[in-house]
Amino acid sequence: FPLSCKEDNRSEKFIYETLEELPDSIQVGGITFNYGFKNQILAHRNGVFDSVYIEDMFYRPNQYLFDSCFNFFPTPIYSLKEVQRWNSTYLKDYDSIVWKQTKFLIEQNIDSLFREHLRAVQDITGEKGNAKFLAYFPPKDYGISGGCDPQTMAFDLMYKIEDKDYLERVIPHEIEHTIYENQIGNDPYFITGIGVTIDEGLASYFEHLYLNIPESEILGSEEETSWLIEHERTIFEKLEPFFFKELEEACPLLFHFNRNSTCEPLITDTPTELVKNNLGYFLGYRIVERYELTNGKDSWKDAYELSPREFYQRSGYKEYLTK
């Protein structure tokens, strides 16, 4: 897809007609999801790019996110002028890939899937959240997938082409982050090593509960998980000294959350690079798991009320490992 000029034109017509029926955004609980990609495509209807349409339907509804979350790029790629410029050539720049991905999103019933994710996150956590998300097609080399602050998050829909795993696992994982960060983001321990550890561990634990994914698949392959559990105490002893350091000082810990590659890793002799880059997720997951084992069924939801420091201490994880 597309296979020929004739089929290409017919497929594009189908996509335009289907996108016109898609809402511009949805709201579930306190979370709004903007389908920016819809209006990026519709701005090219009839073979003519509509710069006013892209301003009114794509840029203005997401201007807060562009101005605050995307402002770290060295060039003003998300200013109005630049947004109009790169959207005007977007379909040409990506050629058939953008049509392929849009068709895939339609086939995955993207609207129903996102609504299902939002309802599930709120039902399972018991929190309604307060955030705005943008699902969009970025300019080449300037995409963002993830949160910038507790109120804004973006999903680069060209990051993974025709990848069901991204839609079904990564996106609900990221949505849960906004729930937690809205609740705990002002706690002084949120911006420390233990804050990152609980934040990522909780999102992974939620993913395990929501999608019924066994621990071995959440943490890696069965072989990788066996290695992690066998070396759990060593992993804890290496990473734990950074739990109560602020993020600049906790840089070596952040390496193992795949958040910072400029620091030296604390553990190097891992079976795979994936394991090395994600040791922190394993540790966070095990702390949340231990909290529920120690404090009773569904007690992991206490994380939305407790300081990360208190949650960690009440988990009994350190005592469990060192007894």
Side-chain angles (χ1 to χ4, degrees):
F1 171 82
L3 300 177
S4 69
C5 292
K6 186 176 180 180
E7 290 186 24
D8 183 19
N9 292 335
R10 187 168 62 244
S11 298
E12 290 178 17
K13 184 175 184 292
F14 163 75
I15 287 174
Y16 284 134
E17 290 174 350
T18 305
L19 290 180
E20 285 172 345
E21 297 176 3
L22 194 70
D24 290 331
S25 64
I26 59 171
Q27 182 171 358
V28 178
I31 299 177
T32 299
F33 222 118
N34 190 308
Y35 296 147
F37 71 96
K38 164 194 170 177
N39 289 312
Q40 287 180 274
I41 299 295
L42 291 182
H44 293 267
R45 278 174 298 194
N46 304 317
V48 179
F49 175 69
D50 188 336
S51 62
V52 175
Y53 185 90
I54 206 72
E55 177 181 355
D56 292 343
M57 305 304 292
F58 178 68
Y59 177 77
R60 295 299 176 194
N62 301 293
Q63 185 174 356
Y64 168 74
L65 186 145
F66 294 149
D67 290 347
S68 61
C69 178
F70 289 38
N71 63 4
F72 65 89
F73 288 116
T75 58
I77 196 74
Y78 286 96
S79 66
L80 173 58
K81 183 178 179 180
E82 286 294 294
V83 165
Q84 289 174 320
R85 179 191 63 77
W86 56 260
N87 269 285
S88 70
T89 62
Y90 193 80
L91 299 187
K92 179 181 176 182
D93 291 345
Y94 275 99
D95 197 19
S96 63
I97 299 175
V98 69
W99 296 109
K100 181 179 182 180
Q101 181 71 342
T102 305
K103 182 171 180 283
F104 171 75
L105 296 174
I106 291 170
E107 289 171 345
Q108 298 304 309
N109 295 314
I110 193 72
D111 182 50
S112 296
L113 183 63
F114 282 162
R115 289 175 190 272
E116 181 182 335
H117 287 336
L118 289 170
R119 284 193 294 267
V121 172
Q122 294 170 13
D123 288 348
I124 293 171
T125 65
E127 305 291 340
K128 295 300 181 184
N130 178 27
K132 292 184 177 180
F133 295 174
L134 169 65
Y136 78 117
F137 293 141
K140 191 174 182 180
D141 301 324
Y142 287 95
I144 289 180
S145 281
C148 308
D149 60 46
Q151 280 76 45
T152 53
M153 181 168 286
F155 294 116
D156 172 357
L157 294 177
M158 295 295 277
Y159 173 62
K160 299 283 188 179
I161 304 298
E162 295 187 307
D163 190 330
K164 289 181 65 174
D165 192 57
Y166 178 64
L167 297 180
E168 293 177 359
R169 287 187 59 173
V170 176
I171 288 180
H173 174 108
E174 297 298 336
I175 293 172
E176 191 283 330
H177 276 309
T178 66
I179 299 285
Y180 180 69
E181 291 165 15
N182 263 297
Q183 295 294 109
I184 304 298
N186 292 325
D187 187 278
Y189 284 96
F190 177 73
I191 54 171
T192 66
I194 192 59
V196 173
T197 303
I198 300 301
D199 191 8
E200 294 292 358
L202 195 64
S204 299
Y205 198 71
F206 165 79
E207 196 180 334
H208 156 69
L209 294 174
Y210 168 39
L211 299 171
N212 240 349
I213 300 171
E215 181 177 282
S216 60
E217 291 182 30
I218 286 288
L219 305 176
S221 67
E222 289 187 15
E223 293 77 15
E224 288 169 327
T225 302
S226 295
W227 185 93
L228 287 165
I229 293 174
E230 181 182 347
H231 295 83
E232 185 170 8
R233 181 163 180 169
T234 300
I235 295 167
F236 170 77
E237 290 173 347
K238 292 283 188 179
L239 273 59
E240 191 267 346
F242 295 90
F243 276 3
F244 300 110
K245 295 183 183 293
E246 293 193 2
L247 297 185
E248 286 189 8
E249 296 180 82
C251 186
L253 173 67
L254 298 184
F255 179 97
H256 296 293
F257 284 102
N258 205 23
R259 290 195 183 193
N260 194 317
S261 59
T262 63
C263 302
E264 291 296 320
L266 296 166
I267 297 176
T268 57
D269 56 340
T270 59
T272 64
E273 284 298 306
L274 180 67
V275 168
K276 184 191 297 183
N277 292 335
N278 293 283
L279 289 175
Y281 288 87
F282 166 73
L283 205 57
Y285 179 95
R286 296 287 279 181
I287 290 170
V288 175
E289 180 183 55
R290 177 52 47 180
Y291 188 97
E292 184 169 39
L293 289 170
T294 301
N295 295 283
K297 182 174 173 56
D298 291 335
S299 60
W300 63 273
K301 297 179 188 179
D302 294 348
Y304 300 112
E305 305 295 333
L306 298 178
S307 165
R309 178 177 181 269
E310 188 175 358
F311 184 87
Y312 164 63
Q313 291 174 336
R314 289 192 189 184
S315 73
Y317 182 71
K318 182 173 184 177
E319 294 75 13
Y320 159 74
L321 277 186
T322 57
K323 65 183 177 181

